[in-house]
Amino acid sequence: MSACGYGSDKKDDKKNTPAAGAGPATGGAKAGTSASQIRLGFFANVTHATPLIGLNEGFFAKELGTTEIKPQVFNAGPAAIEALKGGSIDATYIGPNPSISGFTSTNGELLRIVAGATSGGASLVVKPGINGPADLKGKKIASPQLGGTQDVALRAWLTKNGYSVDTSGKGDVSVVPTDNAQTLAAFQKGDLDGAWLPEPWATRLVLEANAKVLVDERTLWPEGKFVTTDLIVSTKFLKEHPDTVEALIKGQVAANDWAAGNQDKAKAAVNAKITEFAGKPLAQNVLDAAWPNIAITNDPLAASLVKLSEDGVAVGVTKKLDIHGIYDLTILNKVLAAAGKPAVADAGLGPKK
């Protein structure tokens, strides 16, 4: 399920070889960057389409040259943050709330958000007999992990609808952090009444466990846009190897451009990596239904992070601290400018002057 490296100084490592048939990103040999390797985290979810495509189609490998990319899969954001704190990864694709927690719990020292990746792709799915917020009292609802992005969204929505919830699982509605695969099994057995999940898990519960969508999170945001997945890098790695981070971001931008013009191939690439890391592919009907629920983007949609930060504090999973400086979009905007694309904004949360 995962692969960890040990250190990132320049050595005679080989690059991660692109997948067979990865035509769009293949080419001649390219020199590596200042790091011998970059240890990259992500989830085997549709909401992490960018890294899955970047890995499967060789876009990252092409830009990194002889710098090896070492993948590590996580189920939810808090575990990825602990890995970043422990020094076992250098960067990770992750949801916004764990990014905020990692930043605030280390007084801004641990990480920087360097790019966006996905908007949308999260829903509250429930048993057929639940028709609105009023039907949730006394019910048991799952989220992927305490403090994760969907966990915060669920708790904030319940609180807005008048329910008392706490981090111990008690309250008017019991919020039960549960691994996504276990959530599906528990829902099928009738042990859960609902779950706030990222794709493809929300769709899987609908198609495989007779759940229905009660809340598509896009309906809670202006224009349906909110950050679901960002790319974060440890501040230490960013300072020591900015060229490696730039190569990674170039690979991301190329992967996202390719995905925009090759939807069916992009879905196949995502499913190939889900198969590799999760052990089995998504059913095609699940993938087809989940795909339109996400929007792949380089924009971190920074304005939505302010609201997400406030929600995390309000539900008791994030410290109330200043998040100014959490973004460093300098490299991303450099890459976008070189590609003739408009710059993206940091909502005033960029490097402190």
Side-chain angles (χ1 to χ4, degrees), residues 46-47 118-123 125 197-204 206 213 216-218 224 226 228 263 285-296:
V46 173
T47 53
T118 309
S119 172
S123 300
V125 294
L197 297 171
E199 292 294 0
W201 295 100
T203 293
R204 288 195 66 181
V206 170
V213 176
D216 180 333
E217 193 173 347
R218 290 176 296 183
F226 65 100
T228 302
Q263 180 173 293
N285 65 328
V286 170
L287 185 57
D288 289 341
W291 192 263
N293 296 332
I294 69 165
I296 297 173

Coordinates of all heavy atoms in Angstrom, one line a residue, residues 46-47 118-123 125 197-204 206 213 216-218 224 226 228 263 285-296:
V46 N -11.0 9.2 -6.2 CA -11.3 10.0 -7.4 C -10.9 11.5 -7.1 O -10.5 12.2 -8.0 CB -12.7 9.9 -7.8 CG1 -13.1 10.8 -9.0 CG2 -13.0 8.4 -8.3
T47 N -11.1 12.0 -5.9 CA -10.8 13.4 -5.6 C -9.3 13.6 -5.6 O -8.8 14.8 -5.5 CB -11.3 13.8 -4.2 OG1 -10.8 12.8 -3.2 CG2 -12.8 13.8 -4.2
T118 N -8.2 19.7 -6.7 CA -9.6 19.3 -6.9 C -10.6 20.2 -6.2 O -10.3 20.6 -5.0 CB -9.9 17.8 -6.4 OG1 -8.9 17.0 -7.0 CG2 -11.3 17.4 -6.9
S119 N -11.7 20.5 -6.8 CA -12.9 21.1 -6.2 C -14.0 20.1 -6.2 O -14.2 19.3 -7.2 CB -13.3 22.4 -6.9 OG -14.5 22.9 -6.4
G120 N -14.9 20.1 -5.2 CA -16.1 19.3 -5.2 C -15.8 17.8 -4.8 O -14.7 17.5 -4.3
G121 N -16.8 17.0 -5.1 CA -16.5 15.5 -4.9 C -16.7 15.1 -3.5 O -16.0 14.1 -3.1
A122 N -17.7 15.6 -2.7 CA -18.0 15.2 -1.4 C -19.5 15.3 -1.1 O -20.1 16.3 -1.5 CB -17.2 15.9 -0.4
S123 N -20.0 14.3 -0.5 CA -21.5 14.3 -0.2 C -21.8 13.6 1.1 O -21.1 12.7 1.5 CB -22.2 13.6 -1.4 OG -22.0 14.2 -2.6
V125 N -24.3 11.0 2.3 CA -25.2 10.0 1.8 C -25.9 9.3 3.0 O -25.2 9.0 4.0 CB -24.5 9.0 0.8 CG1 -24.1 9.7 -0.4 CG2 -23.4 8.3 1.5
L197 N -18.7 11.6 2.7 CA -17.5 11.0 2.1 C -17.1 11.6 0.8 O -17.9 12.3 0.1 CB -17.9 9.5 1.7 CG -18.3 8.6 2.9 CD1 -18.9 7.3 2.3 CD2 -17.1 8.3 3.7
P198 N -15.8 11.5 0.5 CA -15.3 11.9 -0.8 C -15.6 10.9 -1.9 O -16.0 9.7 -1.6 CB -13.8 12.0 -0.6 CG -13.5 10.9 0.4 CD -14.7 10.8 1.3
E199 N -15.4 11.3 -3.1 CA -15.6 10.3 -4.2 C -14.4 9.4 -4.4 O -13.3 9.9 -4.1 CB -15.9 11.0 -5.6 CG -17.2 11.8 -5.6 CD -18.4 10.8 -5.6 OE1 -18.2 9.6 -5.5 OE2 -19.5 11.3 -5.6
P200 N -14.5 8.1 -4.7 CA -15.8 7.5 -5.2 C -16.7 6.9 -4.1 O -17.6 6.2 -4.4 CB -15.2 6.4 -6.1 CG -14.0 5.9 -5.3 CD -13.4 7.2 -4.7
W201 N -16.3 7.1 -2.8 CA -17.0 6.4 -1.8 C -18.5 6.8 -1.6 O -19.3 6.0 -1.4 CB -16.3 6.5 -0.5 CG -14.9 5.8 -0.6 CD1 -13.7 6.4 -0.8 CD2 -14.7 4.4 -0.5 NE1 -12.7 5.5 -0.9 CE2 -13.3 4.2 -0.7 CE3 -15.5 3.3 -0.3 CZ2 -12.7 3.0 -0.7 CZ3 -14.9 2.1 -0.3 CH2 -13.5 1.9 -0.5
A202 N -18.8 8.1 -1.8 CA -20.2 8.5 -1.7 C -21.0 7.8 -2.8 O -22.1 7.2 -2.6 CB -20.3 10.0 -1.9
T203 N -20.5 7.7 -4.0 CA -21.2 7.1 -5.1 C -21.2 5.6 -4.9 O -22.3 4.9 -5.2 CB -20.5 7.4 -6.5 OG1 -20.6 8.8 -6.8 CG2 -21.0 6.5 -7.6
R204 N -20.2 5.0 -4.3 CA -20.2 3.5 -4.0 C -21.4 3.2 -3.1 O -22.0 2.2 -3.2 CB -18.9 3.1 -3.5 CG -17.8 3.0 -4.6 CD -16.6 2.2 -4.1 NE -17.0 0.8 -3.9 CZ -16.1 -0.2 -3.5 NH1 -14.9 0.2 -3.2 NH2 -16.5 -1.4 -3.4
V206 N -24.1 4.8 -2.7 CA -25.4 4.9 -3.5 C -25.6 3.7 -4.4 O -26.7 3.1 -4.4 CB -25.4 6.2 -4.3 CG1 -26.6 6.3 -5.3 CG2 -25.4 7.5 -3.4
V213 N -28.2 10.5 -1.8 CA -27.5 11.7 -1.5 C -28.5 12.7 -0.8 O -29.5 13.0 -1.3 CB -27.0 12.4 -2.8 CG1 -26.3 13.7 -2.4 CG2 -25.9 11.5 -3.4
D216 N -25.2 17.3 -1.4 CA -24.0 17.4 -2.3 C -23.3 18.7 -1.8 O -23.9 19.8 -1.8 CB -24.5 17.6 -3.7 CG -23.3 17.7 -4.7 OD1 -22.2 18.2 -4.3 OD2 -23.5 17.3 -5.9
E217 N -22.1 18.6 -1.3 CA -21.4 19.7 -0.7 C -21.3 20.9 -1.6 O -21.2 22.1 -1.2 CB -20.1 19.3 -0.1 CG -19.5 20.4 0.8 CD -18.2 20.0 1.5 OE1 -17.9 18.8 1.5 OE2 -17.6 20.9 2.1
R218 N -21.3 20.7 -2.9 CA -21.2 21.8 -3.8 C -22.4 22.8 -3.7 O -22.2 24.0 -3.9 CB -21.2 21.3 -5.3 CG -19.9 20.6 -5.7 CD -20.0 20.0 -7.1 NE -21.0 19.0 -7.2 CZ -21.3 18.3 -8.3 NH1 -20.6 18.5 -9.4 NH2 -22.2 17.4 -8.3
G224 N -20.7 26.6 -6.4 CA -20.4 25.2 -6.2 C -18.9 24.9 -6.1 O -18.5 23.7 -6.3
F226 N -15.3 24.8 -4.1 CA -14.6 24.8 -2.8 C -13.5 23.8 -2.9 O -13.5 22.8 -3.6 CB -15.5 24.4 -1.6 CG -16.1 23.0 -1.7 CD1 -15.5 22.0 -1.0 CD2 -17.1 22.7 -2.6 CE1 -16.0 20.6 -1.1 CE2 -17.6 21.3 -2.7 CZ -17.0 20.3 -1.9
T228 N -11.2 20.8 -2.3 CA -11.3 19.5 -1.7 C -9.9 18.9 -1.5 O -9.6 18.2 -0.6 CB -12.1 18.5 -2.6 OG1 -13.4 19.1 -2.8 CG2 -12.2 17.1 -2.0
Q263 N -10.9 12.9 -21.3 CA -11.7 12.4 -20.1 C -11.7 10.9 -19.9 O -11.5 10.4 -18.8 CB -13.1 13.0 -20.2 CG -14.0 12.6 -19.0 CD -15.3 13.2 -19.0 OE1 -15.4 14.5 -18.9 NE2 -16.4 12.5 -19.2
N285 N -19.4 1.8 -13.7 CA -20.6 2.6 -13.4 C -20.3 3.5 -12.2 O -20.8 4.7 -12.2 CB -21.8 1.8 -13.2 CG -21.8 0.9 -12.0 OD1 -20.7 0.4 -11.6 ND2 -22.9 0.6 -11.4
V286 N -19.5 3.1 -11.3 CA -19.2 3.9 -10.1 C -18.3 5.1 -10.6 O -18.5 6.2 -10.3 CB -18.5 3.1 -9.0 CG1 -17.9 4.0 -8.0 CG2 -19.4 2.1 -8.4
L287 N -17.3 4.7 -11.4 CA -16.4 5.8 -11.9 C -17.1 6.8 -12.7 O -16.9 8.0 -12.6 CB -15.2 5.1 -12.7 CG -14.1 6.0 -13.2 CD1 -13.4 6.7 -12.0 CD2 -13.1 5.2 -13.9
D288 N -18.0 6.3 -13.6 CA -18.7 7.2 -14.5 C -19.6 8.1 -13.7 O -19.8 9.3 -14.1 CB -19.5 6.4 -15.5 CG -18.6 5.7 -16.6 OD1 -17.5 6.1 -16.7 OD2 -19.1 4.8 -17.2
A289 N -20.2 7.6 -12.6 CA -21.1 8.5 -11.8 C -20.4 9.4 -10.9 O -20.8 10.5 -10.7 CB -22.0 7.6 -11.0
A290 N -19.2 9.0 -10.4 CA -18.4 9.9 -9.5 C -17.7 11.0 -10.2 O -17.5 12.1 -9.7 CB -17.4 9.0 -8.7
W291 N -17.2 10.7 -11.5 CA -16.4 11.7 -12.2 C -16.9 13.1 -12.3 O -16.3 14.1 -12.1 CB -16.0 11.1 -13.5 CG -14.8 11.8 -14.2 CD1 -14.9 12.8 -15.1 CD2 -13.4 11.6 -13.9 NE1 -13.7 13.2 -15.5 CE2 -12.7 12.5 -14.8 CE3 -12.7 10.8 -13.1 CZ2 -11.4 12.6 -14.8 CZ3 -11.3 10.9 -13.1 CH2 -10.7 11.8 -13.9
P292 N -18.2 13.2 -12.7 CA -18.8 14.5 -12.9 C -18.9 15.4 -11.6 O -19.1 16.6 -11.7 CB -20.1 14.3 -13.5 CG -20.1 12.9 -14.1 CD -19.2 12.2 -13.1
N293 N -18.7 14.7 -10.5 CA -18.9 15.4 -9.2 C -17.6 16.2 -8.8 O -17.7 16.9 -7.8 CB -19.3 14.4 -8.1 CG -20.6 13.8 -8.4 OD1 -21.5 14.4 -9.0 ND2 -20.8 12.5 -7.9
I294 N -16.5 15.9 -9.5 CA -15.3 16.7 -9.2 C -14.9 17.6 -10.3 O -15.4 17.5 -11.4 CB -14.1 15.7 -8.9 CG1 -13.7 15.0 -10.2 CG2 -14.4 14.7 -7.9 CD1 -12.3 14.3 -10.2
A295 N -14.1 18.6 -10.0 CA -13.5 19.5 -11.0 C -12.0 19.5 -10.7 O -11.6 19.9 -9.6 CB -14.1 20.9 -10.9
I296 N -11.2 19.1 -11.7 CA -9.8 19.1 -11.5 C -9.3 20.5 -11.8 O -9.7 21.1 -12.8 CB -9.1 18.1 -12.5 CG1 -9.6 16.7 -12.2 CG2 -7.6 18.2 -12.5 CD1 -9.1 15.6 -13.2

